[in-house]
Amino acid sequence: MGRTHRDSYGGEMSTSSSLIFYCLVFLAEILMFGLLSLVLFWVVYYRGGFAWREDVTKEFNYHPVLMICGFVFFMGHAMLVYRLFRCCNKLTAKILHTFLYLMAVPCIVVATITVFDSHNLRSPPIPNLYSLHSWLGVITIGLFALQVTHTLVVGFFSFWLLLCCEQGTVRFRSGLVPVHATFGIITFMLAIATAVTGYTEKAFFSLSADYSMMVDEAWVINAQAASLAGLAILMGFLLYSSRYARSSHPVAIIDPPSSSHYVMTQKTYYYREHE
Ligand code: HEM
């Protein structure tokens, strides 16, 4: 018996699924807004706030705030858009998704500049890219840059090709959706791992022995890392569960790997037996 995709994958959710879905989204929102507020509170209250190149210690403070803002807040919301905006048409969701993704770009660029400044402009300068955190950071930023570049390039060419042969590009663009979605989730999870190592490093650098005494600041730092762990679990569940995908009108049928075939939907694709 073939599975009907409306029953098993995406599409309308039952009342209980909707309830669970919106509870999880609510929790994810609390964690994202909570984390952003907490990181701001931490750098302003405990780390002296912000400054530009005249005070590189304070310039560093932009780094955690903007990395969290770009990689967790904006990217997290960009990924949730397709799950949340189930009622409106796909173009609206696409525009919002792209807008949120693009908002992450300046945050990540400035966060990277400020951390390099905080190493290079210090006297004596601190060596760059020696730590585990910085290596993870480079991989995460690299994946994000690839994702943005590929989206812009594909978007640009699709736009022009679309003017002459829409059908020709549908298959190509649809084939890229799962790749784009998967890389998005991988980048988000890597960013979380990177941020957690960043917090650990900063806690050891700045608090030294006080860290093990669990001074107030240690609680604030650990709470941020715990929120990140919570977000990794929640977002992983929300984004991977095909139960929560948008309504699943097939948009493309891609080549069968064998005698069976896959039908790709707007956000997920799934196995369907012989028809
Ligand atoms: C999630 C996104 C993040 C990315 C992609 C990232 C990336 C990086 C990179 C590439 C460096 C190396 C700079 C250099 O060598 O000059 C660095 C340094 C640093 N980052 Fe992050 N970071 C992130 C989040 C955080 C967070 C949340 C903190 C928390 C405070 C943090 C703390 C640090 C510290 C203390 C350094 C200097 C020491 C070192 O080079 O490891 N980072 N980060």
Side-chain angles (χ1 to χ4, degrees), residues 42 60 63-64 67-68 71 115-116 119 127-131 133-134 137-138 140-141 191-192 194-195 198-199 201-202 205:
W42 173 51
F60 169 85
H63 176 69
M67 283 298 189
I68 293 297
F71 272 116
V115 77
F116 275 92
H119 278 199
N128 291 311
L129 305 179
Y130 65 89
S131 64
H133 168 72
S134 60
V138 168
T140 311
I141 295 167
I192 288 187
T194 307
Y199 280 119
E201 214 177 74
K202 186 68 181 166
F205 284 160

Side-chain angles (χ1 to χ4, degrees), residues 80-93:
L80 274 185
V81 160
Y82 282 112
R83 300 280 147 138
L84 263 176
F85 290 77
R86 314 170 71 81
C87 52
C88 51
N89 71 33
K90 198 178 174 206
L91 184 67
T92 315

Side-chain angles (χ1 to χ4, degrees), residues 182-204:
T182 307
F183 267 90
I185 298 173
I186 291 173
T187 311
F188 184 78
M189 294 299 171
L190 251 179
I192 288 187
T194 307
V196 170
T197 56
Y199 280 119
T200 310
E201 214 177 74
K202 186 68 181 166
F204 281 117

Side-chain angles (χ1 to χ4, degrees), residues 18 25 31-32 39 42 60 70 88 96 99-100 114 119 155 167 172 179 183 189 196 213 227 254 266:
S18 289
V25 169
L31 286 180
M32 282 193 274
V39 69
W42 173 51
F60 169 85
C88 51
L96 195 58
F99 171 76
L100 288 165
T114 51
H119 278 199
Q167 281 313 309
F172 171 65
V179 179
F183 267 90
M189 294 299 171
V196 170
M213 306 302 290
S227 308
I254 55 175
Q266 287 176 339

